[in-house]
Coordinates of all heavy atoms in Angstrom, one line a residue:
M12 N 0.8 -1.1 0.0 CA 0.0 0.0 0.0 C 0.9 1.2 0.0 O 2.0 1.2 0.5 CB -0.9 0.0 1.2 CG -2.0 1.0 1.3 SD -2.7 1.2 2.9 CE -1.6 2.3 3.7
K13 N 0.4 2.3 -0.6 CA 1.1 3.6 -0.5 C 0.2 4.7 0.1 O -1.0 4.7 -0.3 CB 1.6 4.0 -1.9 CG 2.7 3.1 -2.4 CD 3.2 3.5 -3.8 CE 4.4 2.6 -4.2 NZ 4.6 2.8 -5.7
I14 N 0.8 5.5 0.9 CA 0.0 6.5 1.5 C 0.9 7.8 1.5 O 2.1 7.8 1.6 CB -0.4 6.2 3.0 CG1 -1.3 7.3 3.6 CG2 0.9 5.9 3.8 CD1 -2.0 6.8 4.9
T15 N 0.2 9.0 1.2 CA 0.9 10.3 1.1 C 0.5 11.1 2.3 O -0.7 11.3 2.6 CB 0.5 11.0 -0.2 OG1 1.0 10.2 -1.3 CG2 1.2 12.4 -0.2
C16 N 1.6 11.5 3.0 CA 1.4 12.4 4.2 C 0.7 13.7 3.8 O 1.1 14.4 2.9 CB 2.8 12.6 4.8 SG 2.9 13.8 6.1
T17 N -0.3 14.1 4.6 CA -1.0 15.3 4.3 C -0.2 16.6 4.8 O -0.6 17.7 4.4 CB -2.4 15.3 4.9 OG1 -2.3 14.9 6.2 CG2 -3.4 14.4 4.1
K18 N 0.7 16.4 5.6 CA 1.5 17.5 6.2 C 2.6 17.9 5.2 O 2.8 19.1 4.9 CB 2.1 17.2 7.5 CG 1.0 16.9 8.6 CD 1.2 17.8 9.8 CE -0.1 17.7 10.7 NZ -0.1 16.5 11.4
C19 N 3.4 16.9 4.7 CA 4.6 17.2 3.9 C 4.5 16.6 2.4 O 5.4 16.8 1.7 CB 5.9 16.8 4.5 SG 6.1 15.1 4.6
F20 N 3.4 15.9 2.2 CA 3.2 15.3 0.9 C 4.3 14.2 0.5 O 4.5 14.0 -0.7 CB 3.1 16.4 -0.2 CG 2.0 17.4 0.1 CD1 2.3 18.7 0.5 CD2 0.7 17.1 0.1 CE1 1.4 19.6 0.9 CE2 -0.3 17.9 0.4 CZ 0.0 19.2 0.9
T21 N 4.9 13.7 1.4 CA 5.8 12.6 1.1 C 5.0 11.3 1.0 O 4.1 11.0 1.8 CB 6.9 12.4 2.2 OG1 7.7 13.6 2.3 CG2 7.8 11.2 2.0
E22 N 5.3 10.4 0.0 CA 4.6 9.2 -0.2 C 5.4 8.1 0.5 O 6.7 8.0 0.4 CB 4.5 8.9 -1.7 CG 3.6 7.6 -1.9 CD 3.5 7.3 -3.4 OE1 4.4 7.0 -4.1 OE2 2.3 7.4 -3.8
V23 N 4.7 7.3 1.3 CA 5.3 6.2 2.1 C 4.8 4.9 1.6 O 3.6 4.7 1.4 CB 5.1 6.4 3.6 CG1 5.7 5.3 4.4 CG2 5.5 7.8 4.1
T24 N 5.7 4.0 1.3 CA 5.2 2.6 1.0 C 5.2 1.7 2.2 O 6.1 1.7 3.0 CB 6.3 2.0 -0.1 OG1 6.3 2.8 -1.2 CG2 5.8 0.6 -0.5
V25 N 4.0 1.1 2.4 CA 3.8 0.3 3.6 C 3.5 -1.2 3.2 O 2.8 -1.5 2.3 CB 2.5 0.8 4.3 CG1 2.3 0.1 5.6 CG2 2.6 2.3 4.5
N26 N 4.2 -2.1 3.9 CA 3.9 -3.5 3.8 C 2.6 -3.9 4.6 O 2.6 -3.8 5.8 CB 5.1 -4.2 4.4 CG 5.0 -5.7 4.3 OD1 3.9 -6.2 3.8 ND2 6.0 -6.5 4.7
S27 N 1.6 -4.3 3.8 CA 0.4 -4.5 4.4 C 0.3 -6.0 5.1 O -0.8 -6.3 5.7 CB -0.8 -4.4 3.5 OG -0.6 -5.2 2.3
D28 N 1.3 -6.7 5.0 CA 1.3 -8.0 5.6 C 1.1 -7.9 7.1 O 0.5 -8.9 7.8 CB 2.7 -8.7 5.4 CG 2.9 -9.2 4.0 OD1 1.9 -9.1 3.2 OD2 4.0 -9.5 3.6
N29 N 1.5 -6.9 7.8 CA 1.4 -6.8 9.2 C 0.2 -6.1 9.7 O 0.0 -5.8 10.9 CB 2.7 -6.1 9.8 CG 3.9 -6.8 9.4 OD1 3.9 -8.0 9.4 ND2 4.9 -6.1 9.1
F30 N -0.7 -5.7 8.8 CA -2.0 -5.1 9.2 C -2.8 -6.0 10.1 O -2.8 -7.2 9.9 CB -2.8 -4.7 8.0 CG -2.3 -3.5 7.2 CD1 -1.1 -2.9 7.5 CD2 -3.0 -3.0 6.1 CE1 -0.6 -1.8 6.8 CE2 -2.6 -1.9 5.4 CZ -1.3 -1.3 5.7
N31 N -3.5 -5.4 11.0 CA -4.3 -6.2 11.9 C -5.7 -6.4 11.3 O -6.3 -5.5 11.0 CB -4.4 -5.4 13.3 CG -5.2 -6.2 14.2 OD1 -5.0 -7.4 14.5 ND2 -6.2 -5.5 14.8
K32 N -6.0 -7.7 11.2 CA -7.3 -8.1 10.5 C -8.2 -8.8 11.6 O -7.8 -9.6 12.3 CB -7.0 -9.0 9.4 CG -8.3 -9.4 8.7 CD -8.0 -10.5 7.7 CE -8.0 -11.9 8.5 NZ -7.9 -13.1 7.6
E33 N -9.5 -8.3 11.6 CA -10.4 -8.9 12.4 C -11.7 -9.3 11.7 O -12.3 -8.5 11.0 CB -10.8 -8.0 13.6 CG -10.4 -8.6 15.0 CD -10.9 -7.6 16.1 OE1 -10.5 -6.4 16.0 OE2 -11.7 -8.0 16.8
L34 N -12.1 -10.5 11.8 CA -13.4 -10.9 11.2 C -14.5 -10.6 12.2 O -14.6 -11.2 13.3 CB -13.4 -12.4 10.8 CG -14.7 -13.0 10.4 CD1 -15.2 -12.4 9.1 CD2 -14.6 -14.5 10.1
L35 N -15.3 -9.6 11.9 CA -16.2 -9.1 13.0 C -17.6 -9.7 12.8 O -18.3 -9.9 13.8 CB -16.4 -7.6 12.9 CG -15.2 -6.7 13.3 CD1 -15.5 -5.3 13.2 CD2 -14.6 -7.1 14.6
E36 N -18.0 -10.1 11.6 CA -19.3 -10.6 11.4 C -19.4 -11.6 10.3 O -18.8 -11.3 9.2 CB -20.3 -9.5 11.3 CG -21.7 -9.8 11.6 CD -22.6 -8.6 11.4 OE1 -22.2 -7.5 11.6 OE2 -23.8 -8.8 10.9
T37 N -20.1 -12.6 10.4 CA -20.4 -13.5 9.3 C -21.9 -13.7 9.2 O -22.5 -14.0 10.2 CB -19.7 -14.9 9.5 OG1 -18.4 -14.7 9.5 CG2 -20.1 -15.8 8.3
S38 N -22.5 -13.5 8.0 CA -23.9 -13.8 7.9 C -24.2 -14.6 6.7 O -23.4 -14.7 5.7 CB -24.7 -12.5 7.8 OG -24.0 -11.5 7.0
E39 N -25.2 -15.4 6.7 CA -25.6 -16.3 5.6 C -26.5 -15.6 4.6 O -27.6 -15.0 5.0 CB -26.3 -17.5 6.2 CG -25.3 -18.4 7.0 CD -24.0 -18.8 6.3 OE1 -24.1 -19.1 5.1 OE2 -22.9 -18.7 6.9
R40 N -26.2 -15.6 3.4 CA -27.0 -15.0 2.3 C -27.2 -16.1 1.3 O -26.8 -17.2 1.3 CB -26.4 -13.7 1.8 CG -26.2 -12.7 2.8 CD -25.6 -11.4 2.3 NE -26.2 -10.9 1.1 CZ -25.7 -9.8 0.5 NH1 -24.7 -9.2 1.0 NH2 -26.4 -9.4 -0.5
E41 N -27.9 -15.7 0.1 CA -28.3 -16.6 -0.9 C -27.1 -17.4 -1.5 O -27.1 -18.5 -1.8 CB -29.0 -15.9 -2.1 CG -30.1 -14.9 -1.7 CD -29.5 -13.5 -1.5 OE1 -29.1 -12.9 -2.5 OE2 -29.3 -13.1 -0.3
M42 N -26.0 -16.6 -1.7 CA -24.8 -17.2 -2.2 C -23.8 -17.7 -1.2 O -22.5 -17.8 -1.5 CB -24.1 -16.3 -3.3 CG -25.0 -16.1 -4.5 SD -24.1 -15.1 -5.8 CE -24.2 -13.5 -5.2
G43 N -24.2 -18.0 0.0 CA -23.3 -18.4 1.0 C -23.0 -17.3 2.0 O -23.7 -16.4 2.2
S44 N -21.8 -17.5 2.6 CA -21.4 -16.6 3.7 C -21.0 -15.2 3.3 O -20.4 -15.1 2.2 CB -20.3 -17.2 4.5 OG -20.6 -18.4 5.1
E45 N -21.3 -14.2 4.0 CA -20.8 -12.9 3.8 C -19.9 -12.6 5.1 O -20.4 -12.7 6.2 CB -21.9 -11.8 3.7 CG -21.4 -10.4 3.5 CD -22.4 -9.4 3.5 OE1 -23.2 -9.3 4.5 OE2 -22.6 -8.7 2.5
N46 N -18.7 -12.1 4.8 CA -17.8 -11.9 6.0 C -17.5 -10.3 6.0 O -17.2 -9.8 5.0 CB -16.5 -12.7 5.8 CG -16.6 -14.1 6.0 OD1 -17.4 -14.6 6.9 ND2 -16.0 -14.9 5.1
F47 N -17.5 -9.8 7.2 CA -17.2 -8.4 7.4 C -15.9 -8.3 8.2 O -15.8 -8.8 9.3 CB -18.3 -7.7 8.1 CG -18.0 -6.3 8.6 CD1 -17.5 -5.4 7.7 CD2 -18.2 -6.0 9.9 CE1 -17.1 -4.1 8.1 CE2 -17.9 -4.7 10.4 CZ -17.4 -3.8 9.5
Y48 N -14.9 -7.7 7.6 CA -13.6 -7.5 8.2 C -13.3 -6.1 8.6 O -13.7 -5.2 7.8 CB -12.5 -8.0 7.3 CG -12.5 -9.4 6.8 CD1 -13.1 -9.8 5.7 CD2 -11.9 -10.4 7.6 CE1 -13.1 -11.1 5.2 CE2 -11.9 -11.7 7.2 CZ -12.5 -12.1 6.0 OH -12.6 -13.4 5.5
E49 N -12.6 -5.9 9.6 CA -12.0 -4.6 10.0 C -10.5 -4.8 9.9 O -10.0 -5.7 10.6 CB -12.5 -4.1 11.3 CG -12.1 -2.7 11.6 CD -12.6 -2.3 13.0 OE1 -13.8 -2.0 13.2 OE2 -11.7 -2.2 13.9
I50 N -9.8 -4.0 9.1 CA -8.4 -4.0 8.9 C -7.8 -2.7 9.3 O -8.1 -1.6 8.8 CB -8.1 -4.3 7.4 CG1 -8.7 -5.8 7.0 CG2 -6.6 -4.3 7.2 CD1 -8.9 -6.0 5.6
N51 N -6.8 -2.8 10.2 CA -6.1 -1.6 10.7 C -4.6 -1.7 10.4 O -3.9 -2.7 10.5 CB -6.3 -1.5 12.2 CG -7.6 -0.9 12.6 OD1 -7.7 0.3 12.5 ND2 -8.5 -1.7 13.1
S52 N -4.1 -0.5 9.9 CA -2.7 -0.5 9.6 C -1.8 -0.4 10.8 O -0.6 -0.7 10.8 CB -2.4 0.7 8.7 OG -2.6 1.9 9.4
G53 N -2.3 0.2 11.9 CA -1.5 0.5 13.0 C -0.7 1.8 12.7 O -1.0 2.4 11.7
E54 N 0.3 2.2 13.4 CA 1.1 3.4 13.1 C 1.9 3.3 11.8 O 2.6 2.3 11.6 CB 2.1 3.6 14.3 CG 1.5 4.2 15.5 CD 2.6 4.7 16.5 OE1 3.8 4.3 16.2 OE2 2.3 5.4 17.4
I55 N 1.8 4.4 11.0 CA 2.6 4.5 9.8 C 3.3 5.8 10.0 O 2.6 6.9 10.1 CB 1.8 4.5 8.5 CG1 1.0 3.2 8.4 CG2 2.7 4.8 7.4 CD1 -0.1 3.3 7.3
I56 N 4.6 5.8 10.2 CA 5.4 7.0 10.4 C 5.9 7.6 9.1 O 6.5 6.9 8.4 CB 6.6 6.8 11.4 CG1 6.1 6.1 12.7 CG2 7.3 8.1 11.7 CD1 5.1 6.9 13.6
C57 N 5.6 8.9 8.9 CA 6.1 9.6 7.7 C 7.7 9.6 7.7 O 8.2 10.0 8.7 CB 5.6 11.0 7.6 SG 6.3 11.9 6.2
N58 N 8.3 9.2 6.7 CA 9.7 9.1 6.6 C 10.4 10.5 6.7 O 11.5 10.7 7.2 CB 10.2 8.5 5.2 CG 9.8 7.1 5.0 OD1 9.7 6.4 6.0 ND2 9.6 6.7 3.8
N59 N 9.6 11.5 6.3 CA 10.2 12.8 6.2 C 9.9 13.7 7.5 O 10.8 14.1 8.1 CB 9.6 13.6 5.0 CG 10.1 14.9 4.8 OD1 11.4 15.1 4.8 ND2 9.3 15.9 4.6
C60 N 8.6 13.8 7.9 CA 8.3 14.7 9.0 C 7.8 14.0 10.3 O 7.4 14.6 11.2 CB 7.2 15.7 8.5 SG 5.5 15.0 8.3
K61 N 7.8 12.6 10.2 CA 7.5 11.8 11.4 C 6.1 11.9 11.8 O 5.8 11.5 13.0 CB 8.5 12.2 12.6 CG 9.9 12.2 12.2 CD 10.4 10.9 11.7 CE 11.9 10.9 11.3 NZ 12.2 9.8 10.3
T62 N 5.2 12.5 11.0 CA 3.8 12.4 11.3 C 3.3 11.0 11.4 O 3.7 10.1 10.6 CB 3.0 13.2 10.2 OG1 3.3 14.6 10.3 CG2 1.5 12.9 10.3
N63 N 2.5 10.8 12.4 CA 1.9 9.5 12.6 C 0.6 9.3 11.8 O -0.4 9.9 12.2 CB 1.7 9.2 14.2 CG 1.2 7.9 14.5 OD1 1.1 7.0 13.6 ND2 0.9 7.6 15.8
M64 N 0.6 8.5 10.8 CA -0.6 8.2 10.0 C -1.1 6.9 10.3 O -0.5 6.0 10.9 CB -0.2 8.3 8.5 CG 0.5 9.5 8.1 SD 1.0 9.5 6.3 CE 2.5 8.6 6.4
S65 N -2.4 6.6 9.9 CA -3.0 5.3 10.0 C -4.1 5.2 9.0 O -4.7 6.2 8.6 CB -3.4 5.1 11.4 OG -4.4 5.9 11.8
V66 N -4.5 4.0 8.7 CA -5.7 3.7 7.9 C -6.4 2.6 8.5 O -5.9 1.7 9.1 CB -5.3 3.4 6.4 CG1 -4.6 4.6 5.8 CG2 -4.4 2.2 6.3
Q67 N -7.7 2.6 8.2 CA -8.6 1.5 8.6 C -9.5 1.2 7.3 O -9.9 2.1 6.7 CB -9.5 1.8 9.7 CG -10.4 0.7 10.1 CD -11.4 1.1 11.2 OE1 -11.1 1.8 12.1 NE2 -12.6 0.6 11.0
F68 N -9.7 -0.1 7.1 CA -10.6 -0.5 6.1 C -11.7 -1.4 6.6 O -11.5 -2.2 7.5 CB -9.9 -1.4 5.1 CG -8.8 -0.7 4.3 CD1 -7.4 -0.8 4.7 CD2 -9.1 0.2 3.2 CE1 -6.4 -0.2 4.0 CE2 -8.0 0.9 2.6 CZ -6.7 0.6 3.0
N69 N -12.9 -1.1 6.2 CA -14.1 -2.0 6.4 C -14.3 -2.8 5.1 O -14.5 -2.1 4.1 CB -15.3 -1.3 6.9 CG -15.1 -0.6 8.2 OD1 -14.3 -1.0 9.1 ND2 -15.9 0.4 8.5
V70 N -14.2 -4.1 5.2 CA -14.2 -4.9 3.9 C -15.3 -6.0 4.1 O -15.4 -6.7 5.0 CB -12.8 -5.5 3.7 CG1 -12.9 -6.5 2.4 CG2 -11.8 -4.5 3.5
W71 N -16.2 -6.0 3.0 CA -17.2 -7.0 2.9 C -16.8 -8.1 1.8 O -16.6 -7.7 0.7 CB -18.5 -6.5 2.6 CG -19.1 -5.7 3.8 CD1 -20.0 -6.3 4.7 CD2 -18.9 -4.4 4.3 NE1 -20.4 -5.3 5.7 CE2 -19.7 -4.2 5.4 CE3 -18.1 -3.4 3.8 CZ2 -19.7 -3.0 6.1 CZ3 -18.1 -2.2 4.4 CH2 -18.9 -1.9 5.6
E72 N -16.7 -9.3 2.2 CA -16.4 -10.4 1.3 C -17.7 -11.1 1.1 O -18.3 -11.7 2.0 CB -15.3 -11.3 2.0 CG -15.0 -12.5 1.2 CD -14.2 -13.5 1.9 OE1 -14.2 -13.5 3.2 OE2 -13.5 -14.4 1.2
Y73 N -18.1 -11.1 -0.2 CA -19.3 -11.9 -0.6 C -19.5 -12.0 -2.1 O -19.4 -10.9 -2.7 CB -20.6 -11.1 0.1 CG -21.9 -11.9 -0.4 CD1 -22.2 -13.1 0.2 CD2 -22.7 -11.3 -1.4 CE1 -23.4 -13.7 -0.2 CE2 -23.8 -12.0 -1.7 CZ -24.2 -13.2 -1.2 OH -25.4 -13.8 -1.5
P74 N -19.7 -13.1 -2.7 CA -19.6 -14.4 -2.0 C -18.1 -14.6 -1.6 O -17.2 -13.8 -1.8 CB -20.0 -15.4 -3.0 CG -19.8 -14.7 -4.4 CD -20.0 -13.2 -4.1
I75 N -17.8 -15.7 -0.9 CA -16.5 -16.1 -0.4 C -15.4 -15.9 -1.5 O -15.6 -16.4 -2.6 CB -16.5 -17.5 0.2 CG1 -17.3 -17.6 1.4 CG2 -15.0 -18.0 0.5 CD1 -16.9 -16.7 2.6
G76 N -14.4 -15.2 -1.2 CA -13.3 -15.0 -2.2 C -13.4 -13.7 -3.0 O -12.5 -13.4 -3.7
V77 N -14.5 -13.0 -2.8 CA -14.8 -11.8 -3.7 C -15.0 -10.6 -2.7 O -15.7 -10.7 -1.8 CB -16.0 -11.9 -4.5 CG1 -16.3 -10.7 -5.3 CG2 -15.8 -13.1 -5.5
I78 N -14.2 -9.5 -3.0 CA -14.4 -8.3 -2.3 C -15.6 -7.6 -2.9 O -15.6 -7.1 -4.0 CB -13.2 -7.4 -2.3 CG1 -11.9 -8.1 -1.8 CG2 -13.4 -6.1 -1.5 CD1 -12.0 -8.6 -0.4
N79 N -16.7 -7.6 -2.1 CA -17.9 -7.0 -2.6 C -17.9 -5.5 -2.4 O -18.4 -4.7 -3.3 CB -19.1 -7.6 -1.8 CG -20.4 -7.2 -2.3 OD1 -20.6 -7.0 -3.5 ND2 -21.4 -7.0 -1.4
Y80 N -17.4 -5.0 -1.3 CA -17.4 -3.6 -1.0 C -16.4 -3.3 0.0 O -16.1 -4.1 0.8 CB -18.8 -3.3 -0.5 CG -19.1 -1.8 -0.2 CD1 -19.2 -0.9 -1.3 CD2 -19.3 -1.4 1.1 CE1 -19.4 0.4 -1.0 CE2 -19.5 0.0 1.4 CZ -19.6 0.9 0.3 OH -19.8 2.2 0.6
F81 N -15.9 -2.0 0.0 CA -15.1 -1.6 1.1 C -15.2 -0.1 1.4 O -15.6 0.7 0.5 CB -13.6 -2.0 0.9 CG -12.9 -1.2 -0.1 CD1 -12.2 0.0 0.2 CD2 -12.9 -1.5 -1.5 CE1 -11.6 0.8 -0.8 CE2 -12.3 -0.8 -2.5 CZ -11.7 0.4 -2.1
E82 N -14.8 0.2 2.6 CA -14.7 1.7 3.0 C -13.3 1.9 3.5 O -12.8 1.0 4.1 CB -15.7 1.9 4.2 CG -17.2 1.8 3.7 CD -18.1 1.8 5.0 OE1 -17.6 1.6 6.1 OE2 -19.3 2.0 4.8
Q83 N -12.8 3.1 3.3 CA -11.5 3.4 3.9 C -11.5 4.7 4.7 O -12.2 5.6 4.4 CB -10.5 3.5 2.7 CG -10.7 4.7 1.8 CD -9.8 4.7 0.6 OE1 -9.8 3.7 -0.2 NE2 -9.0 5.7 0.3
Y84 N -10.8 4.7 5.8 CA -10.7 5.8 6.7 C -9.2 6.1 6.9 O -8.5 5.3 7.3 CB -11.3 5.5 8.0 CG -12.8 5.1 7.9 CD1 -13.1 3.8 7.8 CD2 -13.7 6.1 7.8 CE1 -14.5 3.5 7.7 CE2 -15.1 5.7 7.6 CZ -15.4 4.4 7.6 OH -16.7 4.1 7.4
E85 N -8.8 7.3 6.5 CA -7.3 7.7 6.6 C -7.2 8.8 7.7 O -8.0 9.7 7.8 CB -6.9 8.3 5.3 CG -7.0 7.3 4.1 CD -7.6 7.9 2.9 OE1 -8.7 8.5 3.0 OE2 -7.1 7.8 1.8
T86 N -6.1 8.7 8.4 CA -5.7 9.7 9.4 C -4.4 10.3 9.0 O -3.4 9.6 8.9 CB -5.7 9.1 10.8 OG1 -6.9 8.4 11.1 CG2 -5.4 10.2 11.8
N87 N -4.3 11.6 8.8 CA -3.1 12.3 8.4 C -2.5 11.9 7.1 O -1.3 12.2 6.8 CB -2.1 12.2 9.6 CG -2.5 12.9 10.9 OD1 -3.3 13.8 10.8 ND2 -2.1 12.3 12.0
G88 N -3.2 11.2 6.3 CA -2.6 10.7 5.0 C -3.7 10.4 4.0 O -4.9 10.4 4.3
V89 N -3.2 10.3 2.8 CA -4.2 10.0 1.7 C -3.6 8.7 1.0 O -2.5 8.7 0.5 CB -4.3 11.1 0.7 CG1 -5.2 10.7 -0.5 CG2 -4.9 12.4 1.4
I90 N -4.5 7.7 0.8 CA -4.0 6.5 0.2 C -3.8 6.8 -1.3 O -4.7 7.2 -1.9 CB -5.0 5.4 0.5 CG1 -5.0 5.0 1.9 CG2 -4.7 4.1 -0.4 CD1 -6.2 4.1 2.3
T91 N -2.7 6.4 -1.8 CA -2.4 6.6 -3.2 C -2.3 5.3 -4.0 O -2.3 5.2 -5.2 CB -1.1 7.4 -3.5 OG1 -0.1 7.0 -2.5 CG2 -1.4 8.9 -3.2
E92 N -2.1 4.2 -3.2 CA -2.2 2.9 -3.8 C -2.8 1.9 -2.7 O -2.3 1.7 -1.6 CB -0.8 2.3 -4.3 CG -0.8 1.1 -4.9 CD 0.6 0.6 -5.2 OE1 1.2 1.1 -6.1 OE2 1.0 -0.4 -4.6
L93 N -4.0 1.3 -3.1 CA -4.7 0.4 -2.2 C -3.9 -0.9 -1.9 O -3.2 -1.3 -2.9 CB -6.0 0.0 -2.7 CG -7.1 1.2 -2.6 CD1 -8.3 0.8 -3.5 CD2 -7.5 1.5 -1.2
P94 N -4.0 -1.5 -0.8 CA -3.4 -2.8 -0.6 C -4.2 -3.8 -1.3 O -5.3 -3.6 -1.8 CB -3.6 -3.0 0.9 CG -4.8 -2.2 1.3 CD -4.7 -1.0 0.4
D95 N -3.7 -5.0 -1.5 CA -4.3 -6.1 -2.2 C -5.2 -6.8 -1.1 O -4.7 -7.5 -0.3 CB -3.3 -7.1 -2.7 CG -3.9 -8.3 -3.3 OD1 -5.2 -8.3 -3.6 OD2 -3.2 -9.2 -3.7
F96 N -6.5 -6.5 -1.2 CA -7.4 -7.0 -0.2 C -7.5 -8.5 -0.2 O -7.8 -9.1 0.8 CB -8.8 -6.4 -0.4 CG -8.9 -5.0 -0.1 CD1 -9.3 -4.0 -1.0 CD2 -8.7 -4.5 1.2 CE1 -9.4 -2.7 -0.7 CE2 -8.7 -3.2 1.5 CZ -9.2 -2.3 0.6
S97 N -7.3 -9.2 -1.3 CA -7.3 -10.6 -1.4 C -6.4 -11.3 -0.4 O -6.7 -12.3 0.1 CB -7.1 -11.2 -2.9 OG -5.8 -10.8 -3.2
R98 N -5.3 -10.6 -0.1 CA -4.4 -11.3 0.9 C -5.0 -11.3 2.3 O -4.5 -12.0 3.1 CB -3.1 -10.5 0.9 CG -3.1 -9.2 1.6 CD -1.7 -8.6 1.7 NE -1.0 -8.5 0.5 CZ 0.3 -8.5 0.4 NH1 1.0 -8.7 1.4 NH2 0.8 -8.4 -0.8
F99 N -6.0 -10.5 2.5 CA -6.6 -10.5 3.9 C -7.7 -11.6 4.0 O -8.1 -11.9 5.1 CB -7.3 -9.2 4.2 CG -6.2 -8.0 4.2 CD1 -6.4 -7.0 3.3 CD2 -5.2 -8.0 5.1 CE1 -5.5 -5.9 3.3 CE2 -4.3 -7.0 5.0 CZ -4.4 -5.9 4.1
I100 N -8.1 -12.2 2.9 CA -9.2 -13.1 3.0 C -8.9 -14.5 2.6 O -9.8 -15.3 2.4 CB -10.4 -12.5 2.2 CG1 -10.1 -12.4 0.7 CG2 -11.0 -11.2 2.7 CD1 -11.2 -12.3 -0.2
I101 N -7.6 -14.8 2.3 CA -7.3 -16.1 1.8 C -7.2 -17.2 2.8 O -7.1 -18.3 2.5 CB -6.0 -16.0 1.0 CG1 -4.9 -15.5 1.8 CG2 -6.3 -15.2 -0.3 CD1 -3.6 -15.6 1.1
D102 N -7.3 -16.9 4.1 CA -7.0 -17.9 5.1 C -8.2 -18.7 5.5 O -8.3 -19.2 6.6 CB -6.2 -17.4 6.3 CG -7.0 -16.2 6.9 OD1 -8.1 -15.9 6.4 OD2 -6.5 -15.7 8.0
H103 N -9.1 -18.8 4.6 CA -10.3 -19.8 4.9 C -10.6 -20.5 3.5 O -10.6 -19.9 2.5 CB -11.5 -19.2 5.5 CG -12.0 -18.0 4.7 ND1 -12.8 -18.2 3.6 CD2 -11.9 -16.7 4.9 CE1 -13.1 -17.0 3.1 NE2 -12.6 -16.1 3.9
E104 N -10.8 -21.8 3.6 CA -11.1 -22.5 2.3 C -12.4 -23.1 2.4 O -12.9 -23.5 3.5 CB -10.1 -23.6 2.2 CG -8.6 -23.1 1.8 CD -8.6 -22.6 0.4 OE1 -9.2 -23.1 -0.5 OE2 -8.1 -21.4 0.2
Ligands
ZN19 ZN1 5.2 13.9 6.3

């Protein structure tokens, strides 16, 4: 993922492997399960001005294996390249 600091406009590349993922809700629908995840980046420190940025995603997977919808919330930064959401949902078969 890439995020640009809103204070100094430096772009920071972030490894999304360490993002905290939580499966908050599973509901049954016509095409099977729908999963709702909350994904948090934790602290992202700007390389240049040391501003503390963070992002959160709310992600809905439905049907299984497909990202149906997501919302993004950024603090002190603007996302310039989204993470690959599929990596957050692959650990169930
Ligand atoms: Zn900065």
Side-chain angles (χ1 to χ4, degrees):
M12 188 190 84
K13 289 180 181 167
I14 185 167
T15 297
C16 174
T17 48
K18 299 235 167 75
C19 73
F20 306 108
T21 297
E22 187 177 66
V23 179
T24 300
V25 186
N26 180 354
S27 56
D28 288 347
N29 300 322
F30 285 7
N31 181 49
K32 180 192 85 174
E33 241 183 303
L34 173 61
L35 291 186
E36 200 181 326
T37 298
S38 39
E39 293 306 318
R40 295 176 58 180
E41 315 89 73
M42 289 188 285
S44 300
E45 178 183 61
N46 292 320
F47 169 53
Y48 299 94
E49 190 179 282
I50 296 159
N51 276 290
S52 67
E54 280 192 346
I55 302 168
I56 307 294
C57 176
N58 297 332
N59 184 51
C60 73
K61 310 301 177 199
T62 289
N63 186 2
M64 303 179 279
S65 64
V66 295
Q67 182 189 316
F68 298 102
N69 294 336
V70 177
W71 285 263
E72 176 189 23
Y73 177 75
I75 293 299
V77 176
I78 303 301
N79 185 40
Y80 185 69
F81 72 92
E82 296 167 343
Q83 65 190 58
Y84 302 97
E85 300 131 309
T86 304
N87 295 330
V89 175
I90 292 168
T91 43
E92 187 186 285
L93 287 168
D95 177 10
F96 289 120
S97 63
R98 72 172 54 207
F99 298 120
I100 61 166
I101 55 172
D102 56 356
H103 56 76
E104 286 293 315

